[in-house]
Amino acid sequence: MPANLPPEYYEVEKTLRQARSPEEKIAIMEKLLSIIPRHKGTEKLVALYRSKIAKLKEEIERRPAARKGQLFRIEKSGAGQVIVIGPPNSGKSSLIRALTGVEVEVADFPFTTRIAAPYMMPFEKIKIQLIDTPPITADFLESWLVEMIKMAEAVLLVLDASSPESSSWLEVILNRLKERKVELVPENVPIPPDRFPFLKRSLLVLNKIDLREASELQEELEILFNQLPEKIAVSSMSGAGKEELRRKIFHLLQIVRVYSKAPGKKPDLESPFILKKGSTILDLARVIHKDFAEKLNYARVWNKQGTISGLRVTRDYLLQDEDTVELHI
Ligand SMILES: Nc1nc2c(ncn2[C@@H]2O[C@H](COP(=O)(O)OP(=O)(O)O)[C@@H](O)[C@H]2O)c(=O)[nH]1
Ligand SMILES: [Mg+2]
C-alpha cells in the first residue's frame, strides 16, 4: 500500500466491502480514483482500480439485455454533476432547457425522457453539468438511475407547483429513494466520505409558478414534511427564479473558484480552478502541478472583497470562493 493516501481514501475504501452490484463497486472505485493523489508511489494502485473497473464494466456488458439498463453512467464534465429528478411532467426537461439554453425534448405526456442525458449550464465563468432523467414513479425506479444519483454531486428534485398531487409525489419519490438507501439532505449538511454515495445535497424546485393554481404547495410541504431540503419556486416558462436557482445550484456543489496569478502579472479571471470547499493553498498547488506542491514555499492571496490584498500565507491557508492566488516556489 503506497504511503501518503489521505484519510478520506481509507474511509471510502471501507465502503467497497459492502458494495454488491458491479455498478455500486464502480461508483466507489471512481470516487477512490478521484481521491488518490497522483505520483510515482500511487501509479500501481491507480492502474489496479482502472483494470478492476474495466472488468466490472465487462461483467455489466455480459448481462442479459433486459438487466443492462440503458445508460448507467455519464462522464462528469465541468465544475460538478447535478442530477435532475422528479415525477412525470413536472418540467424537468423544460427547466434544463431554461437553464442551459439547449433544446431538450419536452412534451405534454409522461415518459418523454426515456434515458438520461447531460447538458451544460453556464454560471458566471464556470459550467455545471445537469443530467435530465426519466421520471420516478411508485413502481418505476430503475437501478441504473439510482446508481447515477449516487454518483452525482447533488440532486434537484423538480415538482409541479400547480398540481394537487405534488406532495404525494414527493412522498413516493423520497420513499423509493430511501428503499435504495439514498437520502436527500439540505445544502449545509456535512457528508462523511463513507456516506457520500447515499446522502445527497439537494434542492426542491417548485416549478410552474406562473400557473394560477400554483400557490399552496410550499405551505403544504411545510406542514406535511419535516426536514426537507431547501425549496425554491421557479417557472421554466416565464424564467422567474431562474438566476436565483443557478446560484443555488452553484452553492449546492460546495466548491470554490480560485484564480491563479503569476508574479507581476494579472490574474487569469477567465478560467478559475475548481476546488472543494475547505481546500488549502497546498490542494491548489497539487491541482496545478505535482512539482508545485513539493516545492511550494509560500503564496500571496487577494480576496474578492478587497480586504485581503497580496497577503503572504502558508500552504495550509483555507481558500475562499473567488480568491486570487500567486504561488511561490
Ligand atoms: N405553465 C408551465 N408549464 C410548464 C413549465 N415547465 C414545464 N411546463 C410544461 O409541462 C409539461 C411537461 O414538461 P417537461 O419538461 O416535458 O416535463 P418532464 O417530464 O418533467 O421532463 C410540458 O407541457 C411543458 O410545457 C412551467 O414553468 N410553466
Ligand atoms: Mg423530460
Side-chain angles (χ1 to χ4, degrees):
M1 195 52 58
N4 294 332
L5 289 170
E8 193 189 356
Y9 171 89
Y10 296 98
E11 288 302 316
V12 177
E13 203 250 353
K14 272 188 221 155
T15 62
L16 204 49
R17 294 169 212 163
Q18 286 135 40
R20 284 210 222 105
S21 70
E23 281 89 346
E24 225 173 326
K25 286 181 194 163
I26 291 175
I28 296 169
M29 288 183 192
E30 309 235 286
K31 175 76 186 162
L32 288 171
L33 282 174
S34 75
I35 297 170
I36 299 172
R38 301 298 151 91
H39 52 73
K40 264 247 152 308
T42 60
E43 271 172 10
K44 278 197 181 136
L45 190 64
V46 169
L48 177 75
Y49 281 125
R50 291 216 170 112
S51 83
K52 281 188 175 175
I53 290 172
K55 282 204 187 108
L56 288 165
K57 282 186 179 160
E58 277 170 33
E59 196 181 317
I60 294 171
E61 280 304 305
R62 280 196 304 270
R63 274 185 205 161
R67 286 185 54 210
K68 218 183 280 172
Q70 285 121 316
L71 184 53
F72 151 65
R73 75 183 272 277
I74 288 178
E75 200 71 46
K76 288 190 181 180
S77 161
Q81 190 180 68
V82 178
I83 190 158
V84 181
I85 62 171
N89 271 340
S90 62
K92 301 176 288 301
S93 301
S94 307
L95 187 71
I96 291 176
R97 182 168 63 186
L99 292 170
T100 63
V102 178
E103 274 311 307
V104 180
E105 198 186 0
V106 172
D108 261 332
F109 48 90
F111 302 99
T112 322
T113 311
R114 282 176 208 87
I115 57 161
Y119 299 87
M120 297 307 285
M121 175 183 85
F123 174 73
E124 297 175 356
K125 291 288 189 283
I126 62 171
K127 288 200 165 72
I128 296 171
Q129 189 180 42
L130 301 180
I131 299 184
D132 196 12
T133 63
I136 299 175
T137 66
D139 39 29
F140 201 72
L141 171 56
E142 291 174 275
S143 301
W144 64 264
L145 183 52
V146 179
E147 299 310 321
M148 217 179 251
I149 294 171
K150 287 184 189 168
M151 297 269 292
E153 269 91 32
V155 175
L156 295 189
L157 202 170
V158 183
L159 296 174
D160 177 346
S162 73
S163 155
E165 274 99 58
S166 284
S167 53
S168 28
W169 271 119
L170 179 60
E171 194 179 4
V172 164
I173 292 174
L174 294 179
N175 285 337
R176 298 293 273 126
L177 290 173
K178 213 171 224 167
E179 283 162 25
R180 315 296 277 271
K181 299 198 181 69
V182 177
E183 258 178 77
L184 305 186
V185 297
E187 171 200 312
N188 53 3
V189 168
I191 298 179
D194 62 330
R195 302 283 291 139
F196 168 80
F198 307 109
L199 296 185
K200 287 290 142 187
R201 290 200 186 95
S202 312
L203 265 181
L204 277 189
V205 183
L206 312 183
N207 186 32
K208 308 198 191 183
I209 53 157
D210 57 290
L211 293 176
R212 229 177 339 113
E213 301 83 350
S215 56
E216 285 122 39
L217 181 62
Q218 185 127 348
E219 290 149 47
E220 201 180 307
L221 295 182
E222 236 131 72
I223 296 166
L224 294 176
F225 298 84
N226 45 13
Q227 291 239 310
L228 277 183
E230 193 185 344
K231 300 181 269 309
I232 171 167
V234 303
S235 164
S236 45
M237 201 76 108
S238 75
K242 199 166 82 173
E243 291 315 311
E244 194 193 348
L245 176 57
R246 256 188 237 276
R247 183 157 292 278
K248 283 196 190 293
I249 293 173
F250 168 72
H251 284 297
L252 203 54
L253 290 174
Q254 300 276 304
I255 51 180
V256 293
R257 297 162 289 177
V258 179
Y259 307 107
S260 73
K261 166 183 181 320
K265 298 243 173 74
K266 287 223 165 81
D268 174 8
L269 299 175
E270 284 309 303
S271 44
F273 286 92
I274 306 293
L275 295 156
K276 268 191 254 173
K277 229 180 210 174
S279 295
T280 61
I281 292 283
L282 182 62
D283 295 318
L284 173 69
R286 281 205 189 103
V287 176
I288 295 177
H289 199 278
K290 61 177 195 293
D291 288 350
F292 252 149
E294 280 158 28
K295 296 186 193 138
L296 183 67
N297 186 8
Y298 69 96
R300 289 196 183 279
V301 175
W302 289 255
N303 73 356
K304 194 191 177 200
Q305 297 76 13
T307 51
I308 294 175
S309 179
L311 179 72
R312 185 173 164 146
V313 298
T314 53
R315 50 177 59 205
D316 54 0
Y317 181 83
L318 213 54
L319 292 164
Q320 304 297 324
D321 190 35
E322 299 207 78
D323 276 351
T324 295
V325 176
E326 191 179 271
L327 296 177
H328 291 261
I329 53 172

